[in-house]
Amino acid sequence: MSLRALVDITTPYSWIHAWTYENIVADAARDVQVDELEARFLRRLAPGARVLDVGAGGGRITAWVAERRPDLRVEAVEPAATQRARAERATRGLGTVSVREGDVDHLGAPEASVDGALSCGAIKHWPDRARGLRALVRACKPGAPVCVTEVDRSCRFDDARAFVARFPTPAVLRPVMLANFRTFVAGQSLDLDEARSLAAGAGLREVVVDRIPGSPLLLIAGLR
Ligand SMILES: C[S@@+](CC[C@H](N)C(=O)[O-])C[C@H]1O[C@@H](n2cnc3c(N)ncnc32)[C@H](O)[C@@H]1O
């Protein structure tokens, strides 16, 4: 992994960045947040709803959504070609899922065209987080749920340590993984104050900004 990708979190995902995330982190990240996604996103969607998953990566969350709710029409938007190929494989045969090239500034969805928008672990990579969140909300119809999850820069040490312990890596590597996670990932992410300020400027109502309990993640949830 190049040093630039470590110190500038907006650097586009290279294959090694994508490989590392998908093989080491993605399952743990999915598992600590699915209960919140169920409560704050899936339960608010009517049957047949059209939803965006922005920064879908290798499709770990997209596949979970399609399995939980096969009635939904899920559009996975992802800039990195290696990730899109993974997402295609992960969602093959599951519900109605399409995977397309795009990013938060090029969603390929007109204003007020979708019934819900989700983005997990991607906002820290966006070049302009406030602009990106506004774009995500704008693509939604009035009343549609929006849910963004991300590593919390202000996460508790014990939550970060427990999260890293879920990685399928030898225990001897965990201190290095933890230092890397706290410094380069959480360290360049947003904290609860920034999340509240982003949510306030994004045109959302019924906003909840909170930690995801027992994890080093936070969520921004609300309705357009
Ligand atoms: C940490 S991964 C999360 C993947 C997936 N959402 C998950 O939770 O498993 C972040 C993803 O965001 C993508 N990404 C980077 N910049 C982005 C942007 N400007 N807009 C949308 N997605 C972006 C990356 O390519 C990467 O696949």
Side-chain angles (χ1 to χ4, degrees):
M1 195 181 302
S2 78
L3 191 60
R4 181 159 175 247
L6 280 181
V7 298
D8 177 1
I9 202 124
T10 64
T11 304
Y13 263 35
S14 66
W15 72 266
I16 184 121
H17 205 166
W19 187 94
T20 305
Y21 182 76
E22 297 300 331
N23 288 289
I24 298 178
V25 186
D27 279 347
R30 177 199 56 206
D31 292 349
V32 298
Q33 63 182 300
V34 288
D35 289 350
E36 291 291 334
L37 296 180
E38 177 88 40
R40 308 214 180 258
F41 189 66
L42 291 191
R43 273 189 206 149
R44 295 172 142 180
L45 294 166
R50 176 186 172 201
V51 300
L52 297 180
D53 179 6
V54 176
R60 216 62 64 101
I61 302 275
T62 324
W64 174 81
V65 169
E67 276 173 350
R68 294 287 303 147
R69 290 287 303 271
D71 59 293
L72 300 177
R73 291 168 292 151
V74 189
E75 297 174 26
V77 179
E78 166 58 43
T82 51
Q83 294 287 67
R84 290 198 302 278
R86 280 195 180 86
E88 296 271 11
R89 287 195 297 276
T91 59
R92 199 163 288 149
L94 295 177
T96 309
V97 179
S98 62
V99 179
R100 67 162 181 271
E101 182 173 6
D103 59 45
V104 74
D105 295 310
H106 306 89
L107 288 173
E111 178 161 358
S113 63
V114 301
D115 303 299
L118 177 68
S119 184
C120 302
I123 189 172
K124 65 183 172 304
H125 302 293
W126 299 352
D128 184 324
R129 294 166 183 175
R131 183 182 70 208
L133 189 57
R134 285 195 303 273
L136 202 64
V137 173
R138 207 166 39 241
C140 291
K141 296 175 185 168
V146 174
C147 189
V148 171
T149 64
E150 191 47 279
V151 175
D152 172 10
R153 194 173 71 235
S154 53
C155 65
R156 297 189 176 104
F157 181 78
D158 285 348
D159 288 339
R161 188 165 54 183
F163 181 65
V164 168
R166 290 171 173 265
F167 296 176
T169 51
V172 70
L173 293 180
R174 282 191 199 136
V176 176
M177 307 292 289
L178 180 58
N180 181 63
F181 176 76
R182 298 262 300 169
T183 304
F184 294 110
V185 182
Q188 297 184 87
S189 194
L190 54 164
D191 64 11
L192 287 167
D193 284 343
E194 185 182 348
R196 285 189 194 102
S197 146
L198 289 172
L204 284 170
R205 58 189 179 80
E206 296 186 30
V207 174
V208 173
V209 174
D210 214 345
R211 290 196 166 116
I212 296 182
S215 86
L217 307 188
L218 59 74
L219 71 79
I220 300 171
L223 304 177
R224 170 155 191 201

